[in-house]
PDB file of all heavy atoms in Angstrom:
ATOM      1  N   SER A 219      96.140 -55.722  59.188  1.00  0.00           N
ATOM      2  CA  SER A 219      94.689 -55.830  59.207  1.00  0.00           C
ATOM      3  C   SER A 219      94.241 -57.171  59.773  1.00  0.00           C
ATOM      4  O   SER A 219      93.302 -57.235  60.584  1.00  0.00           O
ATOM      5  CB  SER A 219      94.135 -55.644  57.791  1.00  0.00           C
ATOM      6  OG  SER A 219      92.731 -55.827  57.769  1.00  0.00           O
ATOM      7  N   GLU A 220      94.904 -58.238  59.366  1.00  0.00           N
ATOM      8  CA  GLU A 220      94.526 -59.572  59.827  1.00  0.00           C
ATOM      9  C   GLU A 220      94.805 -59.744  61.318  1.00  0.00           C
ATOM     10  O   GLU A 220      93.967 -60.249  62.076  1.00  0.00           O
ATOM     11  CB  GLU A 220      95.273 -60.626  59.019  1.00  0.00           C
ATOM     12  CG  GLU A 220      95.095 -62.063  59.498  1.00  0.00           C
ATOM     13  CD  GLU A 220      93.663 -62.566  59.384  1.00  0.00           C
ATOM     14  OE1 GLU A 220      92.921 -62.059  58.516  1.00  0.00           O
ATOM     15  OE2 GLU A 220      93.292 -63.460  60.168  1.00  0.00           O
ATOM     16  N   ILE A 221      95.985 -59.310  61.763  1.00  0.00           N
ATOM     17  CA  ILE A 221      96.347 -59.492  63.171  1.00  0.00           C
ATOM     18  C   ILE A 221      95.468 -58.614  64.068  1.00  0.00           C
ATOM     19  O   ILE A 221      95.056 -59.029  65.156  1.00  0.00           O
ATOM     20  CB  ILE A 221      97.834 -59.176  63.385  1.00  0.00           C
ATOM     21  CG1 ILE A 221      98.690 -60.218  62.660  1.00  0.00           C
ATOM     22  CG2 ILE A 221      98.181 -59.152  64.871  1.00  0.00           C
ATOM     23  CD1 ILE A 221     100.191 -59.967  62.745  1.00  0.00           C
ATOM     24  N   ALA A 222      95.174 -57.394  63.619  1.00  0.00           N
ATOM     25  CA  ALA A 222      94.369 -56.480  64.430  1.00  0.00           C
ATOM     26  C   ALA A 222      92.965 -57.019  64.691  1.00  0.00           C
ATOM     27  O   ALA A 222      92.310 -56.630  65.666  1.00  0.00           O
ATOM     28  CB  ALA A 222      94.281 -55.120  63.749  1.00  0.00           C
ATOM     29  N   SER A 223      92.497 -57.932  63.852  1.00  0.00           N
ATOM     30  CA  SER A 223      91.142 -58.479  64.016  1.00  0.00           C
ATOM     31  C   SER A 223      91.090 -59.630  65.007  1.00  0.00           C
ATOM     32  O   SER A 223      89.991 -60.093  65.353  1.00  0.00           O
ATOM     33  CB  SER A 223      90.617 -58.960  62.657  1.00  0.00           C
ATOM     34  OG  SER A 223      91.338 -60.106  62.208  1.00  0.00           O
ATOM     35  N   ARG A 224      92.254 -60.089  65.477  1.00  0.00           N
ATOM     36  CA  ARG A 224      92.275 -61.252  66.366  1.00  0.00           C
ATOM     37  C   ARG A 224      91.836 -60.874  67.783  1.00  0.00           C
ATOM     38  O   ARG A 224      92.194 -59.816  68.308  1.00  0.00           O
ATOM     39  CB  ARG A 224      93.672 -61.866  66.408  1.00  0.00           C
ATOM     40  CG  ARG A 224      94.176 -62.382  65.070  1.00  0.00           C
ATOM     41  CD  ARG A 224      93.298 -63.517  64.534  1.00  0.00           C
ATOM     42  NE  ARG A 224      93.739 -63.980  63.221  1.00  0.00           N
ATOM     43  CZ  ARG A 224      94.565 -65.001  63.022  1.00  0.00           C
ATOM     44  NH1 ARG A 224      95.054 -65.664  64.071  1.00  0.00           N
ATOM     45  NH2 ARG A 224      94.892 -65.362  61.798  1.00  0.00           N
ATOM     46  N   LYS A 225      91.091 -61.782  68.415  1.00  0.00           N
ATOM     47  CA  LYS A 225      90.690 -61.599  69.804  1.00  0.00           C
ATOM     48  C   LYS A 225      91.778 -62.108  70.732  1.00  0.00           C
ATOM     49  O   LYS A 225      92.524 -63.028  70.391  1.00  0.00           O
ATOM     50  CB  LYS A 225      89.373 -62.333  70.067  1.00  0.00           C
ATOM     51  CG  LYS A 225      88.187 -61.772  69.289  1.00  0.00           C
ATOM     52  CD  LYS A 225      86.905 -62.522  69.636  1.00  0.00           C
ATOM     53  CE  LYS A 225      85.713 -61.926  68.883  1.00  0.00           C
ATOM     54  NZ  LYS A 225      84.449 -62.641  69.212  1.00  0.00           N
ATOM     55  N   LEU A 226      91.859 -61.503  71.909  1.00  0.00           N
ATOM     56  CA  LEU A 226      92.902 -61.853  72.869  1.00  0.00           C
ATOM     57  C   LEU A 226      92.295 -62.498  74.113  1.00  0.00           C
ATOM     58  O   LEU A 226      92.760 -62.266  75.229  1.00  0.00           O
ATOM     59  CB  LEU A 226      93.700 -60.602  73.255  1.00  0.00           C
ATOM     60  CG  LEU A 226      94.328 -59.814  72.101  1.00  0.00           C
ATOM     61  CD1 LEU A 226      95.061 -58.591  72.620  1.00  0.00           C
ATOM     62  CD2 LEU A 226      95.269 -60.704  71.284  1.00  0.00           C
ATOM     63  N   ASP A 227      91.282 -63.345  73.905  1.00  0.00           N
ATOM     64  CA  ASP A 227      90.616 -63.932  75.056  1.00  0.00           C
ATOM     65  C   ASP A 227      91.155 -65.311  75.429  1.00  0.00           C
ATOM     66  O   ASP A 227      90.810 -65.850  76.482  1.00  0.00           O
ATOM     67  CB  ASP A 227      89.107 -64.037  74.803  1.00  0.00           C
ATOM     68  CG  ASP A 227      88.787 -64.697  73.463  1.00  0.00           C
ATOM     69  OD1 ASP A 227      89.736 -65.118  72.772  1.00  0.00           O
ATOM     70  OD2 ASP A 227      87.596 -64.777  73.117  1.00  0.00           O
ATOM     71  N   ALA A 228      92.015 -65.890  74.581  1.00  0.00           N
ATOM     72  CA  ALA A 228      92.580 -67.204  74.911  1.00  0.00           C
ATOM     73  C   ALA A 228      93.708 -67.045  75.918  1.00  0.00           C
ATOM     74  O   ALA A 228      94.449 -66.065  75.890  1.00  0.00           O
ATOM     75  CB  ALA A 228      93.101 -67.889  73.653  1.00  0.00           C
ATOM     76  N   ARG A 229      93.836 -67.987  76.810  1.00  0.00           N
ATOM     77  CA  ARG A 229      94.909 -67.968  77.802  1.00  0.00           C
ATOM     78  C   ARG A 229      95.614 -69.317  77.804  1.00  0.00           C
ATOM     79  O   ARG A 229      94.965 -70.373  77.751  1.00  0.00           O
ATOM     80  CB  ARG A 229      94.366 -67.670  79.213  1.00  0.00           C
ATOM     81  CG  ARG A 229      93.907 -66.214  79.382  1.00  0.00           C
ATOM     82  CD  ARG A 229      95.093 -65.262  79.300  1.00  0.00           C
ATOM     83  NE  ARG A 229      94.718 -63.859  79.417  1.00  0.00           N
ATOM     84  CZ  ARG A 229      94.563 -63.034  78.412  1.00  0.00           C
ATOM     85  NH1 ARG A 229      94.696 -63.483  77.176  1.00  0.00           N
ATOM     86  NH2 ARG A 229      94.247 -61.769  78.607  1.00  0.00           N
ATOM     87  N   THR A 230      96.948 -69.295  77.819  1.00  0.00           N
ATOM     88  CA  THR A 230      97.718 -70.528  77.809  1.00  0.00           C
ATOM     89  C   THR A 230      97.688 -71.182  79.189  1.00  0.00           C
ATOM     90  O   THR A 230      97.657 -70.502  80.220  1.00  0.00           O
ATOM     91  CB  THR A 230      99.185 -70.250  77.413  1.00  0.00           C
ATOM     92  OG1 THR A 230      99.720 -69.270  78.301  1.00  0.00           O
ATOM     93  CG2 THR A 230      99.262 -69.726  75.994  1.00  0.00           C
ATOM     94  N   GLU A 231      97.694 -72.506  79.177  1.00  0.00           N
ATOM     95  CA  GLU A 231      97.670 -73.249  80.425  1.00  0.00           C
ATOM     96  C   GLU A 231      99.085 -73.677  80.805  1.00  0.00           C
ATOM     97  O   GLU A 231      99.905 -74.001  79.956  1.00  0.00           O
ATOM     98  CB  GLU A 231      96.770 -74.481  80.287  1.00  0.00           C
ATOM     99  CG  GLU A 231      95.313 -74.148  80.038  1.00  0.00           C
ATOM    100  CD  GLU A 231      94.441 -75.397  79.979  1.00  0.00           C
ATOM    101  OE1 GLU A 231      95.006 -76.509  80.172  1.00  0.00           O
ATOM    102  OE2 GLU A 231      93.238 -75.268  79.757  1.00  0.00           O
ATOM    103  N   ARG A 232      99.339 -73.710  82.125  1.00  0.00           N
ATOM    104  CA  ARG A 232     100.655 -74.142  82.606  1.00  0.00           C
ATOM    105  C   ARG A 232     100.777 -75.652  82.457  1.00  0.00           C
ATOM    106  O   ARG A 232      99.824 -76.405  82.597  1.00  0.00           O
ATOM    107  CB  ARG A 232     100.841 -73.738  84.064  1.00  0.00           C
ATOM    108  CG  ARG A 232     100.808 -72.241  84.298  1.00  0.00           C
ATOM    109  CD  ARG A 232     100.981 -71.924  85.761  1.00  0.00           C
ATOM    110  NE  ARG A 232     102.346 -72.143  86.203  1.00  0.00           N
ATOM    111  CZ  ARG A 232     102.702 -72.165  87.479  1.00  0.00           C
ATOM    112  NH1 ARG A 232     101.796 -72.061  88.422  1.00  0.00           N
ATOM    113  NH2 ARG A 232     103.960 -72.335  87.808  1.00  0.00           N
ATOM    114  N   SER A 233     101.997 -76.088  82.212  1.00  0.00           N
ATOM    115  CA  SER A 233     102.266 -77.506  82.045  1.00  0.00           C
ATOM    116  C   SER A 233     102.310 -78.210  83.397  1.00  0.00           C
ATOM    117  O   SER A 233     102.529 -77.587  84.448  1.00  0.00           O
ATOM    118  CB  SER A 233     103.599 -77.677  81.319  1.00  0.00           C
ATOM    119  OG  SER A 233     104.036 -79.012  81.342  1.00  0.00           O
ATOM    120  N   ASP A 234     102.115 -79.533  83.355  1.00  0.00           N
ATOM    121  CA  ASP A 234     102.291 -80.345  84.562  1.00  0.00           C
ATOM    122  C   ASP A 234     103.769 -80.624  84.838  1.00  0.00           C
ATOM    123  O   ASP A 234     104.122 -81.126  85.909  1.00  0.00           O
ATOM    124  CB  ASP A 234     101.549 -81.679  84.415  1.00  0.00           C
ATOM    125  CG  ASP A 234     100.040 -81.504  84.382  1.00  0.00           C
ATOM    126  OD1 ASP A 234      99.566 -80.510  84.969  1.00  0.00           O
ATOM    127  OD2 ASP A 234      99.347 -82.342  83.768  1.00  0.00           O
ATOM    128  N   VAL A 235     104.631 -80.320  83.870  1.00  0.00           N
ATOM    129  CA  VAL A 235     106.061 -80.618  84.024  1.00  0.00           C
ATOM    130  C   VAL A 235     106.712 -79.592  84.960  1.00  0.00           C
ATOM    131  O   VAL A 235     106.581 -78.376  84.750  1.00  0.00           O
ATOM    132  CB  VAL A 235     106.777 -80.605  82.655  1.00  0.00           C
ATOM    133  CG1 VAL A 235     108.271 -80.845  82.825  1.00  0.00           C
ATOM    134  CG2 VAL A 235     106.158 -81.636  81.721  1.00  0.00           C
ATOM    135  N   LEU A 236     107.416 -80.073  85.961  1.00  0.00           N
ATOM    136  CA  LEU A 236     108.184 -79.220  86.875  1.00  0.00           C
ATOM    137  C   LEU A 236     109.656 -79.563  86.741  1.00  0.00           C
ATOM    138  O   LEU A 236     110.055 -80.713  86.922  1.00  0.00           O
ATOM    139  CB  LEU A 236     107.728 -79.424  88.322  1.00  0.00           C
ATOM    140  CG  LEU A 236     108.554 -78.686  89.388  1.00  0.00           C
ATOM    141  CD1 LEU A 236     108.429 -77.175  89.220  1.00  0.00           C
ATOM    142  CD2 LEU A 236     108.131 -79.106  90.793  1.00  0.00           C
ATOM    143  N   VAL A 237     110.479 -78.572  86.416  1.00  0.00           N
ATOM    144  CA  VAL A 237     111.926 -78.755  86.276  1.00  0.00           C
ATOM    145  C   VAL A 237     112.604 -78.098  87.474  1.00  0.00           C
ATOM    146  O   VAL A 237     112.411 -76.901  87.719  1.00  0.00           O
ATOM    147  CB  VAL A 237     112.443 -78.127  84.966  1.00  0.00           C
ATOM    148  CG1 VAL A 237     113.950 -78.298  84.846  1.00  0.00           C
ATOM    149  CG2 VAL A 237     111.736 -78.745  83.761  1.00  0.00           C
ATOM    150  N   GLU A 238     113.394 -78.866  88.210  1.00  0.00           N
ATOM    151  CA  GLU A 238     114.165 -78.320  89.330  1.00  0.00           C
ATOM    152  C   GLU A 238     115.608 -78.103  88.889  1.00  0.00           C
ATOM    153  O   GLU A 238     116.224 -78.993  88.304  1.00  0.00           O
ATOM    154  CB  GLU A 238     114.097 -79.251  90.536  1.00  0.00           C
ATOM    155  CG  GLU A 238     112.711 -79.325  91.163  1.00  0.00           C
ATOM    156  CD  GLU A 238     112.736 -80.003  92.520  1.00  0.00           C
ATOM    157  OE1 GLU A 238     113.725 -80.693  92.837  1.00  0.00           O
ATOM    158  OE2 GLU A 238     111.755 -79.828  93.273  1.00  0.00           O
ATOM    159  N   ILE A 239     116.127 -76.906  89.179  1.00  0.00           N
ATOM    160  CA  ILE A 239     117.473 -76.526  88.732  1.00  0.00           C
ATOM    161  C   ILE A 239     118.324 -76.177  89.949  1.00  0.00           C
ATOM    162  O   ILE A 239     118.099 -75.138  90.588  1.00  0.00           O
ATOM    163  CB  ILE A 239     117.413 -75.326  87.764  1.00  0.00           C
ATOM    164  CG1 ILE A 239     116.542 -75.663  86.542  1.00  0.00           C
ATOM    165  CG2 ILE A 239     118.811 -74.914  87.331  1.00  0.00           C
ATOM    166  CD1 ILE A 239     116.343 -74.505  85.590  1.00  0.00           C
ATOM    167  N   PRO A 240     119.321 -77.009  90.306  1.00  0.00           N
ATOM    168  CA  PRO A 240     120.234 -76.664  91.405  1.00  0.00           C
ATOM    169  C   PRO A 240     121.148 -75.502  90.992  1.00  0.00           C
ATOM    170  O   PRO A 240     121.662 -75.471  89.866  1.00  0.00           O
ATOM    171  CB  PRO A 240     121.041 -77.952  91.611  1.00  0.00           C
ATOM    172  CG  PRO A 240     120.303 -79.018  90.870  1.00  0.00           C
ATOM    173  CD  PRO A 240     119.598 -78.346  89.753  1.00  0.00           C
ATOM    174  N   VAL A 241     121.349 -74.558  91.890  1.00  0.00           N
ATOM    175  CA  VAL A 241     122.128 -73.352  91.591  1.00  0.00           C
ATOM    176  C   VAL A 241     123.166 -73.112  92.676  1.00  0.00           C
ATOM    177  O   VAL A 241     122.860 -73.199  93.874  1.00  0.00           O
ATOM    178  CB  VAL A 241     121.213 -72.109  91.493  1.00  0.00           C
ATOM    179  CG1 VAL A 241     122.033 -70.856  91.190  1.00  0.00           C
ATOM    180  CG2 VAL A 241     120.138 -72.316  90.431  1.00  0.00           C
ATOM    181  N   HIS A 242     124.392 -72.833  92.253  1.00  0.00           N
ATOM    182  CA  HIS A 242     125.420 -72.331  93.161  1.00  0.00           C
ATOM    183  C   HIS A 242     125.327 -70.802  93.123  1.00  0.00           C
ATOM    184  O   HIS A 242     125.658 -70.181  92.104  1.00  0.00           O
ATOM    185  CB  HIS A 242     126.817 -72.797  92.722  1.00  0.00           C
ATOM    186  CG  HIS A 242     126.975 -74.297  92.701  1.00  0.00           C
ATOM    187  ND1 HIS A 242     127.246 -75.030  93.826  1.00  0.00           N
ATOM    188  CD2 HIS A 242     126.875 -75.188  91.675  1.00  0.00           C
ATOM    189  CE1 HIS A 242     127.322 -76.306  93.513  1.00  0.00           C
ATOM    190  NE2 HIS A 242     127.101 -76.437  92.210  1.00  0.00           N
ATOM    191  N   TYR A 243     124.887 -70.207  94.202  1.00  0.00           N
ATOM    192  CA  TYR A 243     124.643 -68.754  94.222  1.00  0.00           C
ATOM    193  C   TYR A 243     125.943 -68.005  94.538  1.00  0.00           C
ATOM    194  O   TYR A 243     126.194 -67.571  95.651  1.00  0.00           O
ATOM    195  CB  TYR A 243     123.542 -68.418  95.218  1.00  0.00           C
ATOM    196  CG  TYR A 243     122.169 -68.769  94.695  1.00  0.00           C
ATOM    197  CD1 TYR A 243     121.567 -69.986  95.010  1.00  0.00           C
ATOM    198  CD2 TYR A 243     121.486 -67.905  93.841  1.00  0.00           C
ATOM    199  CE1 TYR A 243     120.312 -70.320  94.515  1.00  0.00           C
ATOM    200  CE2 TYR A 243     120.230 -68.230  93.330  1.00  0.00           C
ATOM    201  CZ  TYR A 243     119.648 -69.432  93.672  1.00  0.00           C
ATOM    202  OH  TYR A 243     118.410 -69.767  93.175  1.00  0.00           O
ATOM    203  N   ASN A 244     126.779 -67.867  93.488  1.00  0.00           N
ATOM    204  CA  ASN A 244     128.070 -67.196  93.609  1.00  0.00           C
ATOM    205  C   ASN A 244     128.298 -66.240  92.437  1.00  0.00           C
ATOM    206  O   ASN A 244     129.431 -65.994  92.038  1.00  0.00           O
ATOM    207  CB  ASN A 244     129.200 -68.224  93.669  1.00  0.00           C
ATOM    208  CG  ASN A 244     129.173 -69.189  92.468  1.00  0.00           C
ATOM    209  OD1 ASN A 244     128.347 -69.039  91.567  1.00  0.00           O
ATOM    210  ND2 ASN A 244     130.069 -70.163  92.460  1.00  0.00           N
ATOM    211  N   GLY A 245     127.214 -65.713  91.861  1.00  0.00           N
ATOM    212  CA  GLY A 245     127.329 -64.879  90.674  1.00  0.00           C
ATOM    213  C   GLY A 245     128.033 -63.560  90.926  1.00  0.00           C
ATOM    214  O   GLY A 245     128.000 -63.003  92.028  1.00  0.00           O
TER     215      GLY A 245
END
């Protein structure tokens, strides 16, 4: 009952942090 009453209008913002990941493409 409590969760069903919640509104879904909030949106999360992306962080300013950028992580670069080097990959060896040999999977």
Side-chain angles (χ1 to χ4, degrees):
S219 176
E220 173 64 27
I221 293 177
S223 69
R224 298 297 177 94
K225 295 182 178 180
L226 304 179
D227 50 3
R229 289 293 178 261
T230 56
E231 296 183 2
R232 298 179 73 192
S233 169
D234 293 333
V235 177
L236 174 64
V237 179
E238 292 193 343
I239 302 176
V241 180
H242 299 278
Y243 284 95
N244 55 3

